[in-house]
Amino acid sequence: MLGPVTISRPLLKGSRLARTSTLLRLLSSAPPSSPDSPTTTHFGSKTVPTTEKEKMVGHVFSSVASKYDIMNDVMSLGIHRLWKHHFINKLDPGMRRNSKQPLEFIDVAGGSGDIAFGILDYANEIHQDRVSKMDIVDINADMLKEGEKRAYELGRYYQDPRVRFMVQNGEKLEKIESNSKDIYTVSFGIRNFTNIQAGLNTAYRVLKPGGLFYCLEFSKIDNQLMDWGYQQWAKVLPVMGSVIADDFDSYQYLVESIERFPDQETFKSMIEKAGFKSVGYENLTSGVCAIHWGVKV
Amino acid sequence: MTTMRALLTRRRHPVLRIQRRSIMLSTWATLAAGPSLVNYLFGNDTRMANAMDAGELHNKNDDYELQRRERVDSRLSQLRNSRPRTPRYEGNIPLYKHEKLLLFLISGIQSYFHPENGLNIVKLGEATAIAPFLNHLQQIMLQDPTGRRILRDKPFVHTSILHMDKLSKLPENTFGYTFYKWCKRENVGPDTRAPVKYIDDPTHAFIFRRYRQCHDFYHALVDMPIIIEGEITVKALEAANLGVPMAALGTIFAPWRLKHVQRERLFDTYIPWALKSGWNAKPFINVYWEELLEKDVNDLRRELGIKLPPDLRNVRKERASLIKQLKAPYSPKP
């Protein structure tokens, strides 16, 4: 062993990245394919105590918060923008003109705000809805800060009474009342939950009857050729992250978290188990990611 | 003849469209059934039909959960086996040769345009730390009793071990106090060095880490500030003394980014001084800096064979004040 881990120079940029690698390296490697026991869960390729996973995921996102958009662009070669565009268009959010009550949106694990602001913009443009409210919720305060910064740079939704930025754990959402939301969206966030079923149950609690659960997440690829292509890309990505951004561990975690996430049908049955009805899914780019939805009856 | 003509001019029977289509379909089906690219790309339905036929689909005896987990595990293990060899120490990321080349090219370009970002220099250093260089350093260390002790003890430079507050209380002529004063002047600390990642052999990784962590000691020893000129000077010193490839690259290429005056200073005074001092001095890698903190700094310099260069900060300050004087409007003395 080479002794205690170092903290990188405060003068250097990228010290946050070193902090992540530092933390991830503190773990000892465990044998693979250990099932989820009540006390341990998986974090990337490592098996870690359940209580630790939240913190570690937090550190991954703290370190990449400022470069989250670039990282998404690199990982999906820019296609994530198309996916999110389709996600919002399919949802068609917005209070209709004959409606009396504004809609209540909640975007979970959406710290960077791209879906949240996209929904509000769409509602504004297409349905002339300027009164619906949005709660942007994320477990990581750094990501929320990025979201607030983006709102400020956009020139809208910053210090807007309609939009609330809150640090909340998606599995509990303590500050959100039950039966209070019309639409619950989660985009590329639910795979980071320690307990996905708990997240789905909380979504059920938080939604009003008639509310919609709407989730965009990586999933199982149908097409064998594209699957092979994706696997090669996933092998190369952590090294590229390491060489260019000096962050091997974050990309390795992200690639493995995608692999661990259940496939379309399994996730559909998990959503049904939480109590949602009319659960369905749509594959995007032949299964690279999938939109799942469910209605609380 | 007439039969010939009759045959040649025979009108074709109109083939029904649906019969025509079935020929195409059967062609596609044949192509799809056997091993072919078409089957690979589009043959999902055929594959499912074959599986259904063989009784593999919707088989109540299959443990789907186990199959799913096994599939996920095999894919995960493939992802984890992307490295050429297992990591040999905490934080090691082994690279293939083409990846190392890519690291060298990318960090080289990044370091040229942004040398102030320490991460770029760190990556370039590890990419260029080739085995002959590290073996050479290892030999130098093994041939010296202090070097051998360093290799055995594997000291780690960190404030918790160095205790900067204790150094501030040492007499002013000691190396420890010089180092403390230099750190305060330049506003840096000793625990600011990134860990080694891309060097696979643990001993080589330690030697490179030791080199990286002692960089500040070299700065304090020759009293060079951390501005770009000072860094280039110390890099030249390290290149001459230890033969570090990245230091040599930096000495050759980095001055070209500077202003003319800085370049002149470097080429006339500081780089020649650094090269001469480095060549003639004892190898710095064999110096156990932690044990010499209470030693008189001038004694240490004499023993190592170093003579101080002109103080870079003073030289720059003098030139700045001279220029200021020349720029000031002429006012005759009363």
Side-chain angles (χ1 to χ4, degrees), chain B residues 112-125:
Chain B
Y112 184 78
F113 291 108
H114 290 284
E116 71 281 358
N117 186 352
L119 272 172
N120 299 335
I121 307 282
V122 152
K123 287 189 303 204
L124 183 63

Side-chain angles (χ1 to χ4, degrees), chain B residues 62-79:
Chain B
D62 273 345
D63 186 354
Y64 287 122
E65 183 55 32
L66 183 68
Q67 276 179 2
R68 188 190 73 87
R69 221 184 300 142
E70 279 175 1
R71 179 183 158 269
V72 168
D73 285 339
S74 79
R75 285 168 70 102
L76 274 176
S77 67
Q78 272 180 12
L79 279 179

Side-chain angles (χ1 to χ4, degrees), chain A residues 2 9 25 33 239 242 259, chain B residues 75 83 90-91 198 209:
Chain A
L2 287 185
R9 192 173 201 145
R25 251 180 289 113
S33 75
V239 183
S242 181
E259 209 52 61
Chain B
R75 285 168 70 102
R83 304 288 89 229
E90 195 67 37
Y198 302 118
R209 186 191 82 186

Side-chain angles (χ1 to χ4, degrees), chain A residues 2 4 6-7 9-10 12 25 32-33 45 224-225 227 231 239 242-244 246 248 256 259-260, chain B residues 40-41 71 73 75-76 78-80 83 90-91 93 118-119 123 156 188 191-193 195 197-198 209:
Chain A
L2 287 185
T6 43
I7 311 157
R9 192 173 201 145
L12 301 178
R25 251 180 289 113
S33 75
S45 62
Q224 280 201 350
L225 185 66
D227 191 29
Q231 280 189 300
V239 183
S242 181
V243 164
I244 299 179
D246 199 49
F248 182 84
E256 289 183 356
E259 209 52 61
R260 289 268 186 183
Chain B
Y40 191 65
L41 290 175
R71 179 183 158 269
D73 285 339
R75 285 168 70 102
L76 274 176
Q78 272 180 12
L79 279 179
R80 263 178 261 130
R83 304 288 89 229
E90 195 67 37
I93 299 174
L119 272 172
K123 287 189 303 204
F156 190 88
V188 298
D191 48 336
T192 52
R193 292 298 160 185
K197 274 195 212 162
Y198 302 118
R209 186 191 82 186

Side-chain angles (χ1 to χ4, degrees), chain B residues 202-222:
Chain B
T203 316
H204 286 173
F206 162 70
I207 295 175
F208 199 76
R209 186 191 82 186
R210 178 78 186 157
Y211 153 68
R212 205 181 262 169
Q213 290 182 331
C214 294
H215 180 78
D216 280 339
F217 288 133
Y218 308 156
H219 264 285
L221 186 71
V222 300

Side-chain angles (χ1 to χ4, degrees), chain A residues 187-208:
Chain A
S187 152
F188 298 123
I190 202 157
R191 72 174 186 278
N192 299 311
F193 283 28
T194 314
N195 186 343
I196 298 177
Q197 191 63 56
L200 294 170
N201 295 341
T202 311
Y204 190 82
R205 171 184 75 81
V206 144
L207 280 169
K208 288 182 197 167

